[in-house]
């Protein structure tokens, strides 16, 4: 039996990290927010390890601190990133980025995706203005001039604004008739956690080798998150490989650079597809997170851009409410779209270009990579600009650890 229609200021479809962050930001401004999530309560409250480590910038940490989520992440789960290195093939001249002379001791912080999800959920449950609905399937969204109506598996929800935060293949985006650029890199990413003999010294390494791309991301203790990009059939073989065979192949693939390694987590695979929505808004509708921009993970900016996007949206929605009492006013949504497009379009195009250059193994591409790394490492203004982008310290963060 369906419940009667409920009323909320903002309905958020998708209770992932960006959806929950949006709910926290808007509730903090005094709005009522309802989050509709397909997952059951148990999986939402205690998400399982999914292999993904998120490199949080200084600005992202500040957002998580301000919305109350950071305090729910255990200190032992937060790993500071001291240095980032980019290498190619057997060319032993890495491009390095560090914090020297910047007055801080970390480029950013690495936290498992499931820890971030759990922390945001815990923060959201403590907010009286947020209603969390689990196990919900959205059926239709009707966007009328004066309100939006969400029909779902448990009833109907009326809202001034609907926010689509339901992933890069967003059903909300599709229902609104918004298309998207989808860039298929024809590769799959395997992620898992490996313990190893040699210390990582809090250094992240991105290594573009012939036939593969490898990232080693430090986590606390003698362990790293391994990210391996290969054709889909190779990844499938590795997912099914016996543990000892897997360990031996991973050591061989990374040249035994961290000594003996062993798998200490489950293995997970993700097809690599970049997504950029043709529009980020429609009548009484806004898209955030991967529903708006789904980045290739090569620059580790996907979640950070998602947090920045919801921050921009929240600011404009608050302006809407202050001006007219209407959270879904078109003028504010247009400003959000313009600002978020300006922040994301160059990064999306640049990231796709880098991914294409660094995943082709022909001689011209190898030579370009080697020359590019050498020149980039010697050009201090470039390194400073990239380091600033990686850290994103436009707003000084509170102490993060």
């Amino acid at each position: 039996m369906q419940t009667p229609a409920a009323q909320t200021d903002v309905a958020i479809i998708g209770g992932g990290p960006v959806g929950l962050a949006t709910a926290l930001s808007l509730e903090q401004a005094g709005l009522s927010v309802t989050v509709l999530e397909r997952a059951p309560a148990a999986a939402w409250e205690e998400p399982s390890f999914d292999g993904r480590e998120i490199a949080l910038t200084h600005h992202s940490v500040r957002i998580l601190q301000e919305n109350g989520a950071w305090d729910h992440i255990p200190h032992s789960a937060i790993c500071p990133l001291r240095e980032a290195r980019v290498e190619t093939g057997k060319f032993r001249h890495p491009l390095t980025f560090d914090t020297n002379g910047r007055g801080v001791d970390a480029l950013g912080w690495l936290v498992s995706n499931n820890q971030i999800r759990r922390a945001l959920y815990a923060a959201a449950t403590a907010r009286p203005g947020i209603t969390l609905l689990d196990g919900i399937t959205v059926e239709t969204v009707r966007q009328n001039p004066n309100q939006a109506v969400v029909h779902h598996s448990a009833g109907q929800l009326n809202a001034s604004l609907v926010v689509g935060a339901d992933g890069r293949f967003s059903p909300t985006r599709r229902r609104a008739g918004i298309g998207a650029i989808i860039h298929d890199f024809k590769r799959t990413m395997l992620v898992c956690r490996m313990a190893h003999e040699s210390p990582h010294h809090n250094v992240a390494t991105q290594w573009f080798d012939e036939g593969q791309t490898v990232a080693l991301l430090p986590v606390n203790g003698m362990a790293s998150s391994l990210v391996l990009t290969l054709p889909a059939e190779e990844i499938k073989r590795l997912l099914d490989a016996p543990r000892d065979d897997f360990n031996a192949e991973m050591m061989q693939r990374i040249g035994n650079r961290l000594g003996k390694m062993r798998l200490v987590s489950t293995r997970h695979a993700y097809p690599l597809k970049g997504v950029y929505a043709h529009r980020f808004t429609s009548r009484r509708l806004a898209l955030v997170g991967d529903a708006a921009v789904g980045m290739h993970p090569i620059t580790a900016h996907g979640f950070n851009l998602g947090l920045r996007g919801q921050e921009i949206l929240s600011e404009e929605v608050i302006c809407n409410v202050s001006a007219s009492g209407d959270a879904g006013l078109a003028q504010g949504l247009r400003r959000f779209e313009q600002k978020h497009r300006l922040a994301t379009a160059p990064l999306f195009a640049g990231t796709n270009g880098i991914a294409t250059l660094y995943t082709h193994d022909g001689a011209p591409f190898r030579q370009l990579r080697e020359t590019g790394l050498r020149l980039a490492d010697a050009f201090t203004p470039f390194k400073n600009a990239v380091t600033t982008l990686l850290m994103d310290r436009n707003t000084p963060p509170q102490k993060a650890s």
Side-chain angles (χ1 to χ4, degrees):
M1 181 177 178
Q2 291 193 335
T3 57
Q7 183 72 41
T8 188
D9 291 324
V10 182
I12 299 176
I13 301 174
V18 175
L20 289 172
T22 308
L24 289 162
S25 296
L26 292 172
E27 194 271 351
Q28 203 163 24
L31 299 178
S32 61
V33 184
T34 301
V35 184
L36 301 98
E37 168 59 33
R38 287 178 298 179
W44 202 6
E45 182 178 354
E46 288 292 333
S48 58
F49 178 76
D50 63 10
R52 290 176 288 187
E53 301 292 330
I54 307 300
L56 296 169
T57 66
H58 288 247
H59 189 79
S60 291
V61 169
R62 182 186 64 77
I63 291 172
L64 294 174
Q65 289 170 334
E66 289 181 348
N67 67 24
W70 189 254
D71 290 339
H72 291 282
I73 301 176
H75 180 77
S76 60
I78 303 168
C79 183
L81 176 59
R82 313 288 186 199
E83 181 181 309
R85 298 164 60 97
V86 181
E87 303 178 13
T88 183
K90 296 179 174 58
F91 179 66
R92 298 305 181 192
H93 190 107
L95 173 60
T96 61
F97 303 97
D98 56 41
T99 62
N100 291 344
R102 293 177 178 269
V104 293
D105 62 358
L107 289 169
W109 293 266
L110 286 152
V111 181
S112 294
N113 186 56
N114 66 317
Q115 292 283 0
I116 295 171
R117 293 172 67 96
R118 183 181 295 114
L120 285 162
Y121 180 85
T125 59
R127 296 287 186 86
I130 297 178
T131 301
L132 301 172
L133 300 180
D134 63 276
I136 295 294
T137 301
V138 173
E139 295 161 354
T140 62
V141 177
R142 190 170 72 247
Q143 300 145 258
N144 300 324
N146 298 319
Q147 70 174 359
V149 181
V150 180
H151 295 273
H152 57 82
S153 53
Q156 178 180 314
L157 181 64
N158 300 334
S160 297
L161 174 67
V162 173
V163 177
D166 46 353
R168 63 185 63 200
F169 304 111
S170 166
T172 303
R173 186 181 67 219
R174 177 178 48 78
R175 286 190 198 98
I178 300 174
I181 298 167
I182 299 179
H183 190 118
D184 188 349
F185 293 95
K186 302 188 186 305
R187 292 289 187 275
T188 297
M189 178 178 71
L190 181 147
V191 286
C192 63
R193 187 170 289 190
M194 305 287 290
H196 43 75
E197 288 180 321
S198 301
H200 50 55
H201 301 295
N202 296 87
V203 176
T205 301
Q206 183 89 27
W207 178 29
F208 301 95
D209 198 11
E210 292 186 25
Q212 65 176 12
T213 301
V214 181
L216 292 168
L217 308 176
V219 297
N220 287 331
M222 300 287 282
S224 294
S225 174
L226 173 71
V227 184
L228 176 65
T229 303
L230 290 168
E233 60 273 13
E234 280 293 286
I235 294 296
K236 184 179 185 308
R237 177 183 64 79
L238 289 169
L239 287 172
D240 298 332
R243 187 172 290 252
D244 288 345
D245 293 347
F246 181 85
N247 292 341
E249 183 165 341
M250 292 307 102
M251 290 169 59
Q252 183 271 327
R253 283 185 176 276
I254 69 168
N256 297 317
R257 63 175 62 200
L258 289 173
K260 187 175 181 180
M261 301 182 75
R262 60 186 177 85
L263 182 66
V264 292
S265 76
T266 48
R267 289 168 269 187
H268 303 266
Y270 301 95
L272 290 182
K273 293 185 180 182
V275 176
Y276 200 92
H278 293 162
R279 291 181 288 123
F280 297 162
T281 63
S282 184
R283 175 190 280 176
R284 299 196 173 276
L285 173 73
L287 302 175
V288 295
D290 284 356
V293 183
M295 297 283 286
H296 188 292
I298 195 171
T299 55
H301 261 74
F303 180 60
N304 295 300
L305 282 178
L307 282 182
R308 179 61 70 90
Q310 67 80 31
E311 182 181 45
I312 296 169
L313 175 64
S314 298
E315 290 169 353
E316 296 303 336
V317 169
I318 292 165
C319 287
N320 272 353
V321 173
S322 297
S324 67
D326 185 350
L329 201 65
Q331 291 93 316
L333 299 186
R334 282 198 295 269
R335 290 193 300 268
F336 154 69
E337 173 151 28
Q338 290 165 358
K339 292 178 180 179
H340 197 37
R341 192 170 295 281
L342 186 64
T344 57
L347 268 175
F348 183 79
T351 296
N352 288 355
I354 291 169
T356 300
L357 172 63
Y358 278 86
T359 53
H360 281 71
D361 294 323
F365 291 97
R366 292 199 305 271
Q367 291 164 6
L368 276 173
R369 292 200 293 261
E370 292 174 8
T371 301
L373 288 186
R374 189 188 299 276
L375 292 174
D377 197 50
F379 189 47
T380 302
F382 171 81
K383 289 184 66 172
N384 286 339
V386 174
T387 303
T388 299
L389 179 66
L390 290 172
M391 296 174 68
D392 191 8
R393 293 182 67 215
N394 291 339
T395 305
Q398 302 170 33
K399 186 175 177 60
S401 59

